[in-house]
Amino acid sequence: MYRNDREVSPGNRRLKQWIESVWSDVGFASRILCKSPGFTAIAVGSLALAIGANTTIFSFANQLLFVRLPVPHPEQIRLFRLTAERHMAIHGFISGDGYPGDDGRLHFGPMPYPAYRQLRQQNRVLEDLVAFNEIPDVDISAAGPPEIGKVEVVSGNFYDQMQVKSQLGRLIGSSDDAALGSGAVAVISNRFWHREFGGARDVLGKSIRVNLATVTIVGVNPSGFRGPVDADTSAPEVFMPLSMVRALVPVPDAKNPFLKPDVASVEVMARVKPGISTATAQAALDTAFDTALRATATIKKGDTIPRLTLEDGSRGITTFLRTQMRPLYILLGLAGLVLLLACANIASLMLARASTRQREMSVRIALGARRQRILRQVLTESLLLSAIGGLAGLVLGFLSRNLIPLLMHTGWDGGELPIEFDWRVFGFACIVTIGTAVLSGVVPAWRFTRVEINTALKEGGQSASRRRKAWSGKVIVAFQISLSTLLVIGATFFLRTLFNLNAVDPGFRTQNLLLIDATPPRVAPSVLQSSTLHARLADTFAAIPGIEAVTYVNHPIGVNSPWLGQFQVEGTQQNSPDGLKFSPVAMVGPNFFSVMHIPILMGRGFSPQDTATSAPVAIINQRPAREFFPNTNPIGKRFFRGLGDKSGRWIEIIGVCADFHYGDMRDELSPVHFDLDVQSPSSLSMTYVVQSRLPQADLIPALQRAAQQVDANLALNHVRTQQQQINASMQQDRMFASLTAGFAILALALACVGIYGIMAYSVAQRTNEIGIRLALGAARTQIRTMVMREAGWMAIAGIISGIGVSAFLIRLVKSMLYGLRPSDPISFGASVLFLIGMALIAGWIPATRASGVDPMEALRRE
């Protein structure tokens, strides 16, 4: 049976009435917005751009800060970290994210593999410990020619402890990691599976070559699983057991860095056990690690043993996050300012519209409507406007979610930064939309509820009150200009920083140079054989028609400074203040300086007489010549260079070259010495520098064919120009300049709309006054000046307050600037002039309209 209305409870009846009332408000708000299509389009467009910008930045932040490893219960995972003083018992790193902390200690992740094995046996407080590490620059051959990629070596219990299920086949197990040299199997990533095998399900059992070692594919990782790494630009494509390190690092076990007890070689993580706190586990494992390291490594006098700590490992290794944390917060702050400016813009537009609806609201109140009802109606209109803008902004955010990774992408590393558009992003957009509705609607709603009924109902009384009430709109516009000033000044500083970096003279040739990395298979030649191979490859490249010159270097210019090498000047004691020194060292081909156009200022360059069997020679730049040989001619002097295995050699200095920026253009000119590769072979991989005017599209196939003639297993990759390599070092500066300039343009557009809206509103309300002034003899230029003066004062008030805030905030990011002081007058002056000009342009149209008022028509309206 159906119940009639009398049987409905009072609570349900009130709820039904409230829903009907809200629905009525939504319908009425829709009709009001449809009657003002211009206002609605401007408001929705402003909100869409602001919310879209915030959603885009938050999507990037969400990926770095909140997205966890795609494994069950990632919150249980703890990552092992080590901290130590400078002189520590662990002397080297295979990879990892070592960095100096604010406490003056070195923070890093990897630990020696022998210590890990013993620590795993002593562990009683966590689940089983898993070890892993990433090996870059590995040549991988699948269906086509060899390519360079990353391999993740993992312990046999890795997948079991991570609780990861395969997409196809099986994963690496303990039997695959039973003993060194065993386990010639591989699990490939979903991306590698689709790129090399087209996603074919018969991939299981097929073989691929990793550094010429044949391994069998036994499984495919689930889609989205990138290993225990954070949002880096590229992820491992092949996963292999730790037992296969001999194939990946083919040196004798005594020299294999993965097996040496004093080399940090593996990252470690584990899951927490129920009922055991992280602090308890950390205390127990710190003691166990001390014991394990003492039992496996030789602790020298003066060395310190690192302390072990446990950190949240739910997001894997967060190297990329740490480097991007400060820029990320700055971008979030700038996007928030744009959103706040959009809210102010909508508020000023709604205030301008409020005067046209004063009589409507007064009539409603006079007929019995409560002020709370009026408040709800206006907030409903604001919420509906924000909802439309928020939906459009969410779409824009989804479409532009990869904008920041695109700006950070070098274009040749083949990596990708996947951005997830998950429920957090959607929730953020909803919160921003609601907040925008409240911020932009509360002032107009308050204005409507404060209407004076008797005054508003009198047609002649409106003019007396409107001018006074316009001040709230002018304050909001001044606030908009203040925010715009902050964004424009910030964009100016970052743009000038990028300009200054681009203007830096690197000190070497950048035109018509193509860089290409060449990595011979690590299991094929020895390092010495590799050096001979590189010399042959350089000669083969040079013989290609159209190539003018070829050289090679183990550390390409424009990345960062080379690794430090020992530099002990002959005649000094190692433990004396002038004894053991360190200087970045680069291995180069014989014609490196002529190809790079780096002048030799003293002595000579390398010559054909400098061979693998002749006396070792080196060339230094001006910086070490001044630091290590003050007031002395360094030509003919010798220094001792250690080779990392307790051996070394005395090297004679034969020349001094000009200083140049080896790494980032921000870096100071560092001391560098250059060794001839054939005399000090220490690197398998080389970057070739090819001088040619041929188009890159024609040059690359010729280089690849030449490489195959020298060695069919030689992989060429990372093709880029020298200028592109330099530009990559300024990638973050370019990203900031682009985004801040975009924010500044958007802010200016919103501020100009606000100025135009409030001045147009003011002119419309003062039409009668302007008509009287003209009728009494005022010149039209005086009317135009009056309106422009009013717009100018609003702009000046906003700019002054914006300058004060900018002067403080710029000091917080001074480390990100280059060639600029935080108080740079040119940046501030140019920004202020530009802002004043834009404000006057925005006020010119209303001023022109005011000066064109017909006095008789205005008086007739009065």
Side-chain angles (χ1 to χ4, degrees):
M1 296 179 64
Y2 294 96
R3 295 189 303 174
N4 57 34
D5 290 343
R6 294 181 179 178
E7 295 176 329
V8 178
S9 64
N12 290 339
R13 189 182 302 114
R14 284 194 296 269
L15 177 61
K16 181 181 178 181
Q17 291 174 349
W18 182 83
I19 294 176
E20 291 176 349
S21 177
V22 169
W23 183 251
S24 175
D25 287 345
V26 172
F28 182 75
S30 301
R31 293 191 296 272
I32 289 294
L33 295 180
C34 290
K35 288 181 179 180
S36 305
F39 163 80
T40 304
I42 293 175
V44 169
S46 301
L47 290 175
L49 290 173
I51 295 175
N54 276 266
T55 304
T56 299
I57 303 299
F58 181 79
S59 299
F60 182 67
N62 175 61
Q63 186 69 39
L64 297 185
L65 298 174
F66 303 115
V67 173
R68 296 179 172 182
L69 296 176
V71 300
H73 305 292
E75 72 283 354
Q76 300 175 353
I77 300 175
R78 297 294 179 269
L79 191 63
F80 286 48
R81 301 285 90 180
L82 302 175
T83 60
E85 306 291 347
R86 279 181 172 268
H87 301 288
M88 56 184 175
I90 300 176
H91 300 288
F93 298 87
I94 295 297
S95 66
D97 56 336
Y99 63 96
D102 296 335
D103 55 1
R105 298 166 63 88
L106 181 66
H107 296 243
F108 59 100
M111 67 174 60
Y113 179 69
Y116 153 73
R117 294 186 61 182
Q118 184 154 336
L119 183 63
R120 181 186 177 191
Q121 294 175 358
Q122 298 177 4
N123 169 49
R124 299 292 184 273
V125 291
L126 294 178
E127 300 291 349
D128 200 7
L129 310 187
V130 301
F132 58 93
N133 209 337
E134 182 182 277
I135 303 181
D137 299 331
V138 176
D139 66 304
I140 304 172
S141 302
E147 298 180 357
I148 297 297
K150 294 181 180 179
V151 172
E152 189 82 20
V153 288
V154 299
S155 56
N157 62 341
F158 174 80
Y159 282 102
D160 180 58
Q161 290 299 310
M162 292 296 102
Q163 302 176 15
V164 175
K165 304 299 181 183
S166 67
Q167 181 178 181
L168 185 68
R170 70 174 181 87
L171 300 174
I172 294 172
S174 298
S175 59
D176 300 313
D177 191 33
L180 288 174
S182 65
V185 298
V187 175
I188 60 177
S189 68
N190 179 74
R191 180 185 175 197
F192 185 81
W193 177 38
H194 283 86
R195 189 183 73 236
E196 298 293 336
F197 300 98
R201 302 189 67 83
D202 61 351
V203 68
L204 300 180
K206 290 187 176 181
S207 298
I208 60 174
R209 289 190 305 174
V210 181
N211 278 353
L212 294 187
T214 301
V215 296
T216 303
I217 297 175
V218 296
V220 179
N221 276 328
S223 176
F225 182 74
R226 309 171 71 242
V229 295
D230 68 345
D232 204 348
T233 54
S234 60
E237 299 188 313
V238 177
F239 291 70
M240 295 173 59
L242 264 171
S243 58
M244 290 294 290
V245 293
R246 284 177 172 172
L248 300 173
V249 188
V251 294
D253 288 350
K255 295 184 178 181
N256 194 316
F258 272 90
L259 306 179
K260 296 181 72 173
D262 60 347
V263 175
S265 57
V266 292
E267 301 275 1
V268 180
M269 61 171 46
R271 291 180 181 271
V272 295
K273 280 186 175 181
I276 297 181
S277 66
T278 300
T280 301
Q282 177 176 304
L285 288 170
D286 184 32
T287 303
F289 176 74
D290 186 287
T291 303
L293 193 61
R294 292 181 183 277
T296 56
T298 301
I299 310 299
K300 299 179 182 180
K301 184 178 180 180
D303 285 348
T304 59
I305 294 180
R307 301 299 303 271
L308 186 148
T309 60
L310 297 178
E311 296 182 358
D312 175 27
S314 61
R315 288 177 284 125
I317 301 174
T318 55
T319 308
F320 186 73
L321 169 61
R322 188 173 57 254
T323 60
Q324 298 299 322
M325 183 69 76
R326 188 175 185 182
L328 178 61
Y329 287 149
I330 294 174
L331 289 177
L332 286 171
L334 293 177
L337 290 178
V338 171
L339 181 63
L340 188 59
L341 197 150
C343 293
N345 189 61
I346 303 303
S348 65
L349 292 176
M350 292 184 70
L351 280 174
R353 291 180 69 242
S355 61
T356 63
R357 301 180 62 189
Q358 291 283 15
R359 287 178 58 82
E360 169 202 335
M361 297 301 175
S362 300
V363 169
R364 295 179 66 178
I365 294 175
L367 293 177
R370 293 190 301 174
R371 296 184 184 272
Q372 293 87 342
R373 186 70 176 79
I374 300 298
L375 177 66
R376 193 181 74 183
Q377 174 62 51
V378 178
L379 288 178
T380 300
E381 294 177 17
S382 177
L383 184 59
L384 180 60
L385 197 65
S386 298
I388 300 173
L391 182 61
L394 188 64
V395 173
L396 286 177
F398 176 78
L399 296 177
S400 61
R401 67 190 185 281
N402 292 314
L403 175 62
I404 296 180
L406 182 64
L407 292 174
M408 299 177 65
H409 185 46
T410 61
W412 67 79
D413 60 8
E416 60 179 9
L417 179 62
I419 299 296
E420 296 185 14
F421 211 76
D422 57 15
W423 61 270
R424 294 187 194 88
V425 179
F426 181 78
F428 172 81
C430 292
I431 293 173
V432 167
T433 299
I434 296 173
T436 300
V438 174
L439 287 175
S440 61
V442 65
V443 175
W446 177 83
R447 165 70 62 80
F448 281 128
T449 60
R450 302 291 294 179
V451 64
E452 297 177 8
I453 302 177
N454 294 331
T455 302
L457 289 175
K458 296 177 181 178
E459 186 66 29
Q462 293 182 16
S463 299
S465 60
R466 283 171 178 168
R467 186 172 181 178
R468 176 177 57 83
K469 294 180 178 180
W471 276 104
S472 56
K474 293 177 182 178
V475 170
I476 293 177
V477 171
F479 177 67
Q480 287 180 269
I481 297 173
S482 178
L483 293 179
S484 301
T485 302
L486 177 60
L487 291 169
V488 170
I489 290 177
T492 303
F493 270 91
F494 286 121
L495 284 171
R496 292 197 65 205
T497 290
L498 182 61
F499 177 81
N500 290 341
L501 288 172
N502 284 323
V504 172
D505 181 10
F508 56 87
R509 172 202 290 267
T510 59
Q511 298 82 21
N512 302 322
L513 292 183
L514 187 70
L515 306 186
I516 185 166
D517 295 343
T519 305
R522 300 192 183 192
V523 296
S526 65
V527 174
L528 183 60
Q529 292 171 331
S530 175
S531 181
T532 304
L533 182 145
H534 283 301
R536 288 174 48 212
L537 187 59
D539 293 338
T540 305
F541 283 167
I544 298 175
I547 291 182
E548 301 170 9
V550 177
T551 190
Y552 52 91
V553 59
N554 70 328
H555 199 93
I557 297 178
V559 180
N560 43 52
S561 297
W563 292 105
L564 288 176
Q566 182 178 335
F567 195 105
Q568 181 185 349
V569 179
E570 187 177 16
T572 60
Q573 297 296 323
Q574 181 170 332
N575 56 0
S576 69
D578 297 327
L580 182 61
K581 298 179 182 295
F582 294 91
S583 170
V585 56
M587 303 296 168
V588 300
N591 59 340
F592 173 79
F593 295 95
S594 61
V595 174
M596 301 304 300
H597 281 203
I598 300 172
I600 301 295
L601 304 179
M602 298 176 61
R604 67 176 179 87
F606 297 122
S607 68
Q609 288 72 34
D610 301 317
T611 64
T613 56
S614 63
V617 294
I619 295 174
I620 63 176
N621 64 349
Q622 294 171 277
R623 182 75 178 272
R626 292 190 298 267
E627 291 187 7
F628 302 154
F629 304 96
N631 304 318
T632 304
N633 187 347
I635 304 302
K637 302 293 184 181
R638 297 200 308 168
F639 65 91
F640 184 83
R641 176 177 175 249
L643 298 180
D645 55 356
K646 298 182 181 180
S647 63
R649 62 179 68 190
W650 289 98
I651 302 177
E652 180 184 352
I653 299 173
I654 61 171
V656 177
C657 71
D659 285 335
F660 63 94
H661 290 273
Y662 203 117
D664 195 323
M665 295 298 107
R666 290 175 174 270
D667 296 341
E668 295 183 0
L669 300 174
S670 59
V672 182
H673 69 275
F674 303 87
D675 294 357
L676 199 57
D677 176 60
V678 295
Q679 292 185 339
S680 302
S682 63
S683 177
L684 290 170
S685 179
M686 284 286 174
T687 296
Y688 282 82
V689 184
V690 179
Q691 178 183 340
S692 176
R693 300 179 185 276
L694 293 176
Q696 186 171 326
D698 299 334
L699 192 57
I700 294 176
L703 292 171
Q704 291 174 334
R705 289 192 297 269
Q708 293 296 301
Q709 293 174 6
V710 175
D711 189 333
N713 297 307
L714 191 65
L716 301 181
N717 64 309
H718 296 171
V719 180
R720 71 277 192 196
T721 66
Q722 180 64 69
Q723 188 59 53
Q724 287 175 327
Q725 182 69 78
I726 295 174
N727 291 341
S729 67
M730 298 181 283
Q731 205 78 4
Q732 180 171 293
D733 300 284
R734 186 169 290 104
M735 176 193 71
F736 261 91
S738 300
L739 291 178
T740 53
F743 288 154
I745 292 173
L746 178 57
L748 274 176
L750 294 175
C752 288
V753 169
I755 293 174
Y756 171 80
I758 198 65
M759 294 311 302
Y761 159 69
S762 178
V763 168
Q765 300 309 308
R766 299 172 64 185
T767 300
N768 298 333
E769 172 196 338
I770 293 171
I772 294 174
R773 287 175 179 269
L774 291 171
L776 293 177
R780 295 188 182 275
T781 55
Q782 291 178 307
I783 300 299
R784 189 182 301 115
T785 302
M786 178 187 68
V787 178
M788 292 295 293
R789 187 187 302 116
E790 193 171 346
W793 279 116
M794 278 194 302
I796 290 174
I799 290 172
I800 291 175
S801 60
I803 289 176
V805 178
S806 300
F808 170 75
L809 294 180
I810 289 296
R811 296 182 183 277
L812 300 180
V813 297
K814 63 181 180 180
S815 62
M816 302 178 67
L817 305 177
Y818 180 80
L820 295 172
R821 294 176 301 167
S823 59
D824 180 61
I826 297 178
S827 299
F828 278 99
S831 301
V832 168
L833 291 176
F834 182 69
L835 284 161
I836 292 176
M838 294 300 297
L840 293 178
I841 291 174
W844 178 259
I845 298 177
T848 303
R849 184 179 299 168
S851 64
V853 169
D854 184 356
M856 298 306 296
E857 180 65 25
L859 292 174
R860 190 176 299 115
R861 288 178 55 186
E862 180 67 20

